[in-house]
Amino acid sequence: MPTIIELPVVPQPLPANWTAPASSGKSISPLVERRLLPAGQAYLEHVRRAVHNLSFEEHDKHAEEERKRLEALNGNGTGIEDDLGVGDEEETEELLTLDPKEWKKQDHYAVLGLSHLRYKATPEQIKIAHRKKVLKHHPDKKAGVAGDSNDDAFFKCIQKAFDVLMNPERRRQFDSVDPYFDLIEADVPTASQVQKAKNPEKFFFEAFGPVFEREARFSRKQPVPMLGSYDDPKEVVEAFYDFWYNFDSWRSFEYLDKEVNEGSDNRDDKRYTEKKNKAERQRRKKEDTARLRNIVDTALSVDPRIKRIRQEEKEAREAKKKNKGPANAQTAKQKAEEEKRKAEEEAKRKAEEEAAARAEAKKAKAAAANAAKKARRAARAATEGGQPEAA
């Protein structure tokens, strides 16, 4: 049996000039505690109280504040940053059993609990929803849970959804072929439905308004004119249809491309696959353009504003035609009076000119007569003055 020997340990006395160091005011790092102070939790709390000169109440208050700060930092609490109503949608059995290998077929918004927002979800909402899903479905949390046979498959789906939606280009590709909207794109009202409606005007705006709002998200040009109201003027209606008939869409279909077989290094296979994908994208783009054009054509054919505008133009033409006869008669009368007035003024002017000419001629004639008379007198005077000299 081993023998236990107890050795007394007497610490050396402190120097006479030693003084206790002042408190640094800093917390002891948990890393330092683990590495340099391999002691129990009770001892560590004692050290904290001694270093910071805290009472038990002050220490407990400080510990609670630190716990709340760490929870808010790690997203484990219920802070105000989570108060956005995202990531809490009900998870169906079909959703929870998704195959991560078929990630292209999954609804990424539904996986993250963003089905009610979809393309309107902001990056911050996506981050919050992802954090909630990770905390709920992390494999470490689900380990050993009875009835959990899906392992970490759904967790991989969550990560893939987050990767796609946080990448602007890949998210735009997914939004172009969002499976949710694929189901409702065919739900477009027909002309007969509008015409047979109890209130065609109201039905037209209620039915086609959401359709154009849904399609507007693909426009390169912003803002996009919406359907408007029944009282819109002709200029607004014409601008609306002009925009939609020249709609510039950014929608693409790369997300549906067929993947090249994994492990294949054959260049011919890759080129063939890329060529086929390109042809499929062009076909889908052409079909989508024709689909949108058909929607605009249908809306134009049953738009109650077009009927109203045409009726207003017809009434304006009829009113103009109705007032055309009296207006022309009045114009002719005014024209005749104007010509008569001008003729009278012209005759008066000519009369005045003739009178002035006659007066001028008479005056000239009188002046010539006076000059002749003076000449005769001068000649007679000259004759009479020369007779005595001759005698």
Side-chain angles (χ1 to χ4, degrees):
M1 183 175 180
T3 303
I4 299 175
I5 302 174
E6 295 184 0
L7 299 176
V9 178
V10 180
Q12 296 181 357
L14 295 172
N17 58 351
W18 181 87
T19 56
S23 176
S24 62
K26 298 181 180 180
S27 301
I28 299 177
S29 170
L31 182 62
V32 174
E33 291 173 356
R34 288 194 296 269
R35 290 183 177 179
L36 303 182
L37 301 174
Q41 183 66 23
Y43 178 75
L44 294 177
E45 292 178 357
H46 165 71
V47 171
R48 291 192 188 97
R49 289 194 297 271
V51 169
H52 298 289
N53 194 22
L54 299 175
S55 63
F56 284 95
E57 292 80 5
E58 292 173 339
H59 176 267
D60 292 342
K61 182 179 179 181
H62 175 75
E64 180 65 18
E65 292 177 352
E66 184 68 10
R67 183 186 65 79
K68 291 181 178 180
R69 185 185 69 83
L70 293 175
E71 285 183 353
L73 182 64
N74 297 327
N76 297 330
T78 57
I80 59 174
E81 70 272 14
D82 287 351
D83 192 21
L84 296 178
V86 296
D88 299 322
E89 295 177 354
E90 182 180 357
E91 297 169 343
T92 63
E93 184 66 24
E94 181 181 0
L95 189 68
L96 294 173
T97 55
L98 288 173
D99 185 356
K101 295 180 180 178
E102 301 291 336
W103 62 271
K104 273 201 169 185
K105 297 181 180 180
Q106 75 180 29
D107 184 347
H108 299 308
Y109 291 113
V111 169
L112 294 182
L114 297 169
S115 298
H116 62 296
L117 294 175
R118 310 203 75 82
Y119 68 92
K120 296 180 181 179
T122 64
E124 184 63 25
Q125 290 172 325
I126 294 173
K127 292 178 182 178
I128 292 173
H130 172 255
R131 182 164 66 245
K132 287 184 177 181
K133 292 294 183 180
V134 168
L135 292 173
K136 182 178 180 180
H137 295 281
H138 197 281
D140 292 347
K141 274 195 169 185
K142 300 174 68 177
V145 177
D148 183 19
S149 59
N150 199 25
D151 299 326
D152 61 345
F154 187 62
F155 181 76
K156 292 179 180 178
C157 293
I158 293 172
Q159 293 301 106
K160 194 64 182 180
F162 181 72
D163 293 341
V164 171
L165 297 183
M166 286 305 295
N167 184 305
E169 183 178 356
R170 297 178 68 185
R171 182 183 181 184
R172 172 169 284 199
Q173 293 175 359
F174 175 74
D175 287 341
S176 296
V177 295
D178 191 332
Y180 173 79
F181 290 108
D182 282 344
L183 298 175
I184 63 176
E185 274 184 356
D187 187 17
V188 178
T190 62
S192 60
Q193 288 177 334
V194 177
Q195 294 168 354
K196 294 178 181 179
K198 187 176 181 180
N199 188 342
E201 295 177 3
K202 182 179 180 182
F203 180 82
F204 172 80
F205 290 100
E206 290 180 351
F208 278 96
V211 174
F212 284 104
E213 182 180 357
R214 184 174 67 236
E215 298 295 334
R217 73 188 192 276
F218 295 125
S219 177
R220 296 182 188 274
K221 299 178 182 178
Q222 296 291 338
V224 179
M226 291 293 102
L227 192 57
S229 62
Y230 178 77
D231 298 324
D232 287 339
K234 179 181 179 180
E235 295 76 13
V236 174
V237 177
E238 288 180 345
F240 171 81
Y241 284 105
D242 179 69
F243 180 91
W244 283 95
Y245 271 118
N246 297 280
F247 191 79
D248 185 12
S249 174
W250 54 259
R251 190 176 190 182
S252 61
F253 298 91
E254 291 91 347
Y255 194 83
L256 301 178
D257 284 354
K258 183 180 179 181
E259 299 291 338
V260 180
N261 294 332
E262 294 184 5
S264 176
D265 295 331
N266 191 321
R267 294 183 179 180
D268 292 336
D269 288 345
K270 292 182 178 179
R271 281 197 293 265
Y272 173 77
T273 303
E274 291 174 357
K275 183 179 180 180
K276 190 174 181 180
N277 286 336
K278 183 178 180 181
E280 281 296 304
R281 290 197 297 267
Q282 292 176 347
R283 181 186 63 81
R284 292 189 177 101
K285 184 71 174 179
K286 187 176 181 180
E287 290 178 353
D288 184 65
T289 302
R291 179 191 62 83
L292 181 60
R293 176 61 66 91
N294 184 57
I295 293 175
V296 180
D297 287 341
T298 304
L300 179 63
S301 65
V302 294
D303 194 334
R305 297 173 298 182
I306 302 298
K307 184 178 179 181
R308 188 209 76 211
I309 292 171
R310 290 175 178 173
Q311 183 64 26
E312 291 175 353
E313 292 178 344
K314 182 180 179 180
E315 292 175 356
R317 288 194 301 269
E318 291 177 352
K320 185 177 180 180
K321 185 178 180 180
K322 185 178 180 180
N323 298 327
K324 187 175 181 181
N328 288 347
Q330 185 177 4
T331 303
K333 184 178 180 181
Q334 292 176 351
K335 186 176 180 180
E337 291 178 354
E338 182 69 16
E339 291 178 353
K340 182 179 179 182
R341 183 182 62 79
K342 289 182 178 180
E344 290 176 352
E345 291 180 353
E346 183 67 17
K348 183 178 180 181
R349 184 183 62 80
K350 288 183 178 181
E352 291 176 350
E353 290 180 353
E354 291 176 357
R358 286 195 299 269
E360 187 67 24
K362 187 177 180 181
K363 185 177 179 181
K365 186 177 179 181
N370 290 334
K373 187 176 180 179
K374 288 181 180 180
R376 287 195 299 271
R377 286 179 181 176
R380 190 169 50 251
T383 304
E384 292 177 354
Q387 287 179 354
E389 292 179 1

